[in-house]
Amino acid sequence: TESVILARDRAVGTRAVSEALKSGIASSGVSIRDLRATVVPIVRQELRQGDTRAGIYVRCTPGDPLSTDAIFFDSDGFDLPAGKGKSIERLFLSEDFRRADPSAMGRIEYPGGASDRYRDSFVRHVETTVIRKAEFRIVVDYNGGLAGMVFPSILEELGVESIALNSQPRRPDPLDSRNDCAVLSRIVSAVGYDLGVSISTSAEKMVLIDRRGTILSSQRLLLVMASLYWRIHPGQTIAVPVLATS
């Protein structure tokens, strides 16, 4: 049978929505690999490395803790185009979807080891020897997100000394994100570490702070990453957002 990956964040409301989706999907004859509470990058990797047809991530809406989002991914781990998302919404609202016989219900599985597979894949794709020799020291603010359960083991594998802030899961407060970066900035400059990193609760966005406590803007960070890429791949072309600085 066809199968999809389902995952969520730690919010109480998203767990209820996830359970409802799980029941509905199984009743249509599609099997489910439930990763339970995890971060979006792990969902993307599991889709790329597996044979599932699609993925769904249920999260608390950023900036609106009273709302819930369901993010859909294709089999390669990319976000579905807006048009396909609207088609799914129309099918759902019109209740125009398959209903399976009880004997053909989808199976629900709870696979383990996704975090370990992500860590191993991450480490394989970087120059571990170079990073270990550099003996980096960083301060990481996990903002109460699930990255605090994944990223520390990656840093340990790379020999990076780190100070973890807000590593225990908690309800996110998007209004305090800028204040959190200001606090992180002061800590980085006070302890004299190489870098400060603020990771979003979804683990797909980050803010970098240099050793002097300067918060890098998104445009400056884009330029830094482009410069690093061109040092390794000179002459290559990079796709950037339309609003990126020229």
Side-chain angles (χ1 to χ4, degrees):
T1 61
E2 296 179 347
S3 62
V4 299
I5 286 176
L6 179 65
R8 58 178 172 83
D9 65 15
R10 276 189 173 269
V12 175
T14 58
R15 180 171 185 173
V17 174
S18 177
E19 292 297 322
L21 280 171
K22 194 187 309 180
S23 300
I25 293 170
S27 68
S28 68
V30 177
S31 295
I32 300 150
R33 299 180 70 236
D34 188 1
L35 302 182
R36 291 169 283 195
T38 189
V39 292
V40 173
I42 288 180
V43 177
R44 294 187 190 277
Q45 173 169 283
E46 290 294 296
L47 284 165
R48 294 188 188 107
Q49 296 186 346
D51 56 358
T52 48
R53 295 291 302 275
I56 307 172
Y57 188 82
V58 184
R59 69 175 185 183
C60 179
T61 305
D64 184 4
L66 299 181
S67 300
T68 300
D69 293 333
I71 307 172
F72 293 86
F73 308 98
D74 63 19
S75 59
D76 293 318
F78 294 108
D79 292 17
L80 280 185
K84 286 190 176 181
K86 288 295 183 182
S87 297
I88 293 174
E89 185 177 347
R90 285 195 297 270
L91 289 172
F92 174 76
L93 293 176
S94 64
E95 299 186 7
D96 186 19
F97 41 80
R98 180 178 61 184
R99 291 166 175 80
D101 293 332
S103 60
M105 294 274 286
R107 294 179 291 106
I108 300 175
E109 301 175 351
Y110 299 92
S115 295
D116 293 336
R117 288 191 292 274
Y118 180 82
R119 179 199 61 214
D120 294 343
S121 177
F122 189 104
V123 172
R124 282 198 307 271
H125 286 83
V126 296
E127 295 287 348
T128 55
T129 303
V130 175
I131 295 174
R132 291 191 184 106
K133 285 182 178 179
E135 298 182 343
F136 289 115
R137 301 184 302 165
I138 68 175
V139 183
V140 186
D141 187 351
Y142 295 103
N143 290 295
L146 290 165
M149 301 176 64
V150 180
F151 201 45
S153 64
I154 294 176
L155 293 177
E156 182 179 356
E157 189 78 18
L158 297 175
V160 176
E161 179 182 336
S162 66
I163 296 175
L165 306 176
N166 301 311
S167 59
Q168 295 301 313
R170 60 176 171 82
R171 170 176 279 187
D173 186 353
L175 299 179
D176 286 343
S177 59
R178 194 68 191 177
N179 292 333
D180 289 344
C181 285
V183 172
L184 178 59
S185 170
R186 291 195 293 271
I187 292 174
V188 173
S189 58
V191 299
Y193 272 28
D194 300 305
L195 188 70
V197 185
S198 177
I199 302 177
S200 67
T201 53
S202 67
E204 290 212 297
K205 294 182 179 181
M206 67 178 180
V207 176
L208 294 187
I209 298 168
D210 67 19
R211 66 181 63 190
R212 295 172 296 182
T214 302
I215 301 173
L216 275 66
S217 67
S218 58
Q219 294 289 344
R220 187 175 180 184
L221 179 57
L222 173 61
L223 293 175
V224 169
M225 297 304 296
S227 176
L228 289 173
Y229 181 83
W230 279 322
R231 288 183 190 179
I232 302 172
H233 306 284
Q236 295 296 309
T237 302
I238 301 177
V240 299
V242 176
L243 299 178
T245 179
S246 57

